[in-house]
Every structure is written in C-alpha cells, then in structure tokens.
Amino acid sequence: MSEESSESVESIETSEPSETSAVINLVQQEHPAAILSTHRHRSDETLVLKREFIQPICRLLRDHPDCQFEMFVDLTAVDYLLVETNLQQTERFEVVYHLRSLSKDHRIRLKCPVPENDCQIPSIHLLWHAVNWYERECYDMYGIHFEGHPNLNRILMYEQFQGHPLRKDYPMDKQQPLLELNDVEERYHYGRFE
Amino acid sequence: MESAHYGDFLTTKFDNVVNWARKFSLFQYPFVTACCGMEYMSASCSHYDVSRFGAEIPRFSPRQSDVLWVVGTVTHKMTPILRNVYDQMAEPKWVIAFGACASSGGFYQNYSVLQGIDRVIPVDVYIAGCPPRPEAVLDGLMELQNRIQNDGPSALQGSINSAAINHLDQKKLQLSRFLEIPETEVVENAQNPKSNRATKAGYSYSKGYIDTNATLGYDTPKGRRDKDNLKTG
C-alpha cells in the first residue's frame, strides 16, 4: 500500500493491472490537482476528488467526446462518524455521484469528502436537471449545503422537523410529531436499540 | 333481529332495521398510502368481491362516506391530513386500520412513521397483515358489520363489544386446528438475547430446545421404506 500524497495519484487496480482507464487518464491530464485517489475493479471506476473541482470535472465528463457521461444516475452522501479510521477517511461526510454513459456504455463514481464544520459543496444542477431534487434530499437528510442551488429546502421531511435524520448522531427512533398523540399501551418491545 | 308476528304486522326494534341498512350499505373512503392498497384493490375486485357485502363504492370524498379505510403507512407528515379527513366525515363514521403499518407502525420504527393511527383517531377494527390477505380484509369488514349491527353508531369507540368477543372465541376454535397459540409470552429468545426474531427454524416455544423430528419428510409408508432403503442400500 503506497502512501497517499496530495500530488501523486494513488491508483489501485485489482484485476487488470496493465490497463488504465481512458477516462481516469483524461481527468488526470486536465485537472491534476483535483484528484485525491482513484480505484477500479473490473471497469467499476471511482474517482475521489476535492470538492472545489466537482463542477469543472463533471462538465468535462459530460461534454468531452471520450467520456460522454450524459446521464446522471444518483447523488447521495455517506456519514463516516462512527467508522474506524483505517479507511483513510479524514472528513466526516462524503458526497457520492454516479454517472453513466449510454453511448459509450460505461459508468463512473465520483466521491468528494466534505468536512463537518464547513459543510458545503458546489451544486451541479446546471449540468443535469435531475440533480435539483437529489441535492435537496441530500440537504434534508445530511445537512450538506449545495452552493448555487436555487431552492435548497426540505423535500422529504416537513418544514417543522429539526435536525437531519440520516446523520449518525440523530437517534433513529426520535419522532417529532406534528399533532398531539394519544397514549397507546405498548405490550411488545421488539427491536428497541438504544 | 328480534321480531314478533301479529297477523299482518311485523314489529321489531327500529334500531335493528336502521343498523342493518347501515351495515350493508357502507360507503368507503379509501385512504390508501402504500402497498396495502394492492390488497385493498384485490379485495374490491371480482375474485374476492367486497361488493357482495354492500361496501362496493369508494367515495373519494369524506363528506360522502361512512367508513375511513386507512390503508398503508401513515407518516408524521401525513398525520394532520389524516386528522383533517377524519374530522370532515359526518356521523355516523367508523375507522378501519388496514395492515400492520396503520395498526402499529408495522416494521417501521423510525423518525418518520406514526406508530399506529390510533394515536390520532379512534379505530374500530384492526386488520393485521403485511399485507393482509383479501380474506382477512373481508373478515375485518364482517367484524365491523357485526359491530354496527350490535352497537350502532352510539357505541363508544374502544368499548368492549360482547359480540366481537364471541366472534373471537369462535375464530380461535376454528383456527386451533392450524395454529398453536403459545401460553407464555416469549420475552427473550434463549439463543440470542438481542435478536428480535422470536422464531427460528427448529425452535419450539414450549420446549425450549431444538426439536429434531426424526421422521420429518418420511410420513408416508413409502417414505419410510425409502428411508430404510437409503440406510441399507
């Protein structure tokens, strides 16, 4: 396992050591300072980027004739609060993007670490329209601000809800009811994890 | 229905007639939110046919309906809407909690799901299942009809209904051929105290050890012969 430095790129290729991906090479040429690491396993490619570069790299991936990732698939976030630190993960959150090319038939995954105290990342809603609601969901569930988003409000939870429920420090069972609830006798307590 | 026959006159209690008419002409408001809606649809359609009970037409307005069928998961975001719909219904009105999520929150126990609609509105009949079979739906509807016939709209919701208890005893008798209802409540699974799966394959409530049935799968004479042949051959 080679040590990771900010200038050199650590690349882990598990099954085809002689082949390198054309897409990863292209991104390394255009934005050498942006990539933190890459890895691939049987054409399942991942790029870990710095969050400031997400907009130009996504534009490159969408528009460049070698990439042509015209389809946006998914946007979500991961909370590493309770994870042991041997994953080389330094920041608390990581925003994950999945892109797909229908014409070239390949996929790519982009990951951007986001620190807890400065919880924001540029929005890519201008590149694909679908990103709008995915970023709203990510904000609602994790509290990550997307700079440049036109309408960053809660989309799944109601406005009176306080907190971000998919963070690891939000208690899973904690309910915030909108109405006063009657008392109901509960006889069985299956699966209560505290 | 009690009645006496005096020549050309038939006397009976007025309430009985009115409740009979009410129970066989229920207008439903299907408040469908989730997967239980599929079973509600299949109970309404031709094979299981809820129309033979008179409860055929869904009125999609609370002003025109008698029974509020809460079908599926109700989240906290939906709770004021459910309360609003219930308040807009005119008396007499009844509520059926259809499925596990409406009865108790189902298998969702998290930040967003209301743990049973009886926390906001009074419920008459709970239909258990995830989702309940259409036969269970029809059974629940019949139980509601018994309630309407015996108690009528003036009964306090939540009070003990003697006809319902008799029905429950009869049902237990019928089902005791198929089910074994355990006498003691299983509080802790001896194999794994943290597990909330109270049943695992081969575990028996009353005995407390793994029951190995030596003749399992060899119940017929031919089966037993085959098993013996395996041993010797």
Side-chain angles (χ1 to χ4, degrees):
Chain A
M1 293 283 282
S2 59
E3 287 183 3
E4 181 189 336
S5 64
S6 60
E7 290 168 17
S8 69
V9 173
E10 176 188 272
S11 177
I12 306 169
E13 292 160 1
T14 51
S15 66
E16 290 129 357
S18 57
E19 247 181 70
T20 52
S21 161
V23 173
I24 294 182
N25 284 341
L26 179 70
V27 178
Q28 282 175 14
Q29 281 169 22
E30 299 283 332
H31 299 274
I35 301 183
L36 296 170
S37 69
T38 69
H39 55 271
R40 66 191 297 253
H41 173 73
R42 289 184 190 157
S43 78
D44 185 17
E45 294 156 8
T46 307
L47 282 175
V48 185
L49 316 168
K50 291 186 186 158
R51 56 184 171 144
E52 300 88 21
F53 293 92
I54 185 66
Q55 271 178 351
I57 286 185
C58 278
R59 188 178 296 276
L60 171 74
L61 291 173
R62 189 188 67 159
D63 295 335
H64 197 275
D66 285 345
C67 308
Q68 287 185 356
F69 286 100
E70 66 265 332
M71 179 172 174
F72 167 80
V73 175
D74 192 17
L75 191 165
T76 183
V78 186
D79 185 358
Y80 287 100
L81 183 68
L82 302 173
V83 170
E84 306 292 330
T85 53
N86 59 359
L87 283 180
Q88 298 176 344
Q89 181 67 27
T90 50
E91 314 290 5
R92 180 178 172 183
F93 295 109
E94 195 171 56
V95 182
V96 183
Y97 302 80
H98 285 83
L99 304 176
R100 186 179 165 192
S101 172
L102 298 170
S103 46
K104 300 233 170 207
D105 191 24
H106 55 200
R107 296 171 181 261
I108 196 168
R109 180 185 305 125
L110 307 172
K111 305 215 279 188
C112 304
V114 173
E116 181 179 356
N117 47 8
D118 183 27
C119 205
Q120 50 188 353
I121 189 170
S123 163
I124 56 168
H125 76 282
L126 294 170
L127 299 171
W128 296 277
H129 287 298
V131 175
N132 197 317
W133 278 14
Y134 281 84
E135 290 184 344
R136 274 180 72 181
E137 183 198 4
C138 200
Y139 163 71
D140 189 5
M141 294 286 119
Y142 290 95
I144 297 174
H145 273 270
F146 289 86
E147 294 168 14
H149 194 276
N151 185 25
L152 197 67
N153 293 320
R154 287 189 181 272
I155 189 169
L156 295 175
M157 301 309 296
Y158 38 95
E159 285 169 2
Q160 298 90 332
F161 194 88
Q162 289 171 357
H164 297 280
L166 285 185
R167 290 190 171 190
K168 296 296 180 197
D169 50 4
Y170 188 89
M172 184 182 70
D173 277 4
K174 179 178 172 192
Q175 305 199 331
Q176 299 178 24
L178 287 173
L179 297 182
E180 273 190 38
L181 303 178
N182 305 330
D183 284 332
V184 171
E185 181 199 349
E186 291 188 52
R187 296 172 68 205
Y188 298 105
H189 293 265
Y190 295 132
R192 294 274 165 122
F193 300 106
E194 315 220 328
Chain B
M1 253 185 348
E2 303 156 358
S3 62
H5 207 72
Y6 294 109
D8 293 326
F9 293 98
L10 190 69
T11 63
T12 181
K13 287 199 284 188
F14 182 67
D15 271 347
N16 285 344
V17 178
V18 169
N19 289 338
W20 174 87
R22 276 186 177 134
K23 81 177 185 185
F24 281 129
S25 66
L26 289 171
F27 282 25
Q28 338 167 29
Y29 185 89
F31 194 92
V32 176
T33 47
C35 13
C36 272
M38 298 292 118
E39 292 296 331
Y40 171 77
M41 284 181 226
S42 96
S44 307
C45 290
S46 60
H47 193 82
Y48 293 102
D49 199 19
V50 83
S51 144
R52 57 198 158 123
F53 298 95
E56 178 178 10
I57 33 177
R59 314 299 293 176
F60 292 102
S61 162
R63 308 277 181 188
Q64 301 172 9
S65 48
D66 302 320
V67 189
L68 178 65
W69 289 70
V70 184
V71 182
T73 316
V74 176
T75 54
H76 283 295
K77 200 171 178 182
M78 195 65 170
T79 307
I81 300 166
L82 174 64
R83 180 80 220 181
N84 222 353
V85 166
Y86 177 76
D87 288 339
Q88 286 175 359
M89 287 169 70
E91 295 281 343
K93 57 187 173 182
W94 297 275
V95 176
I96 292 186
F98 186 121
C101 289
S103 306
S104 69
F107 66 91
Y108 297 110
Q109 190 179 322
N110 56 15
Y111 53 90
S112 65
V113 173
L114 180 69
Q115 303 290 297
I117 59 168
D118 48 6
R119 293 182 189 243
V120 289
I121 56 182
V123 175
D124 289 290
V125 173
Y126 300 85
I127 303 178
C130 188
R133 284 277 314 172
E135 292 98 343
V137 174
L138 298 176
D139 188 55
L141 180 65
M142 284 166 64
E143 197 151 328
L144 178 69
Q145 286 179 339
N146 285 344
R147 246 199 112 121
I148 294 171
Q149 179 68 64
N150 296 318
D151 300 343
S154 59
L156 286 170
Q157 279 153 348
S159 63
I160 298 174
N161 181 10
S162 54
I165 292 174
N166 290 340
H167 182 56
L168 197 63
D169 285 334
Q170 285 171 18
K171 231 190 316 187
K172 270 193 195 167
L173 203 63
Q174 289 167 16
L175 293 174
S176 61
R177 287 176 54 218
F178 305 102
L179 298 177
E180 191 183 358
I181 300 170
E183 299 286 297
T184 57
E185 184 180 316
V186 177
V187 175
E188 187 178 307
N189 184 0
Q191 292 184 340
N192 178 8
K194 283 188 184 173
S195 161
N196 59 357
R197 291 193 60 201
T199 54
K200 291 188 178 172
Y203 189 75
S204 164
Y205 279 103
S206 49
K207 293 177 197 167
Y209 58 85
I210 295 175
D211 185 19
T212 53
N213 189 358
T215 59
L216 191 67
Y218 298 99
D219 278 337
T220 58
K222 177 177 178 298
R224 273 184 248 117
R225 251 184 286 131
D226 288 345
K227 190 181 166 209
D228 292 336
N229 289 342
L230 280 174
K231 264 195 222 164
T232 58

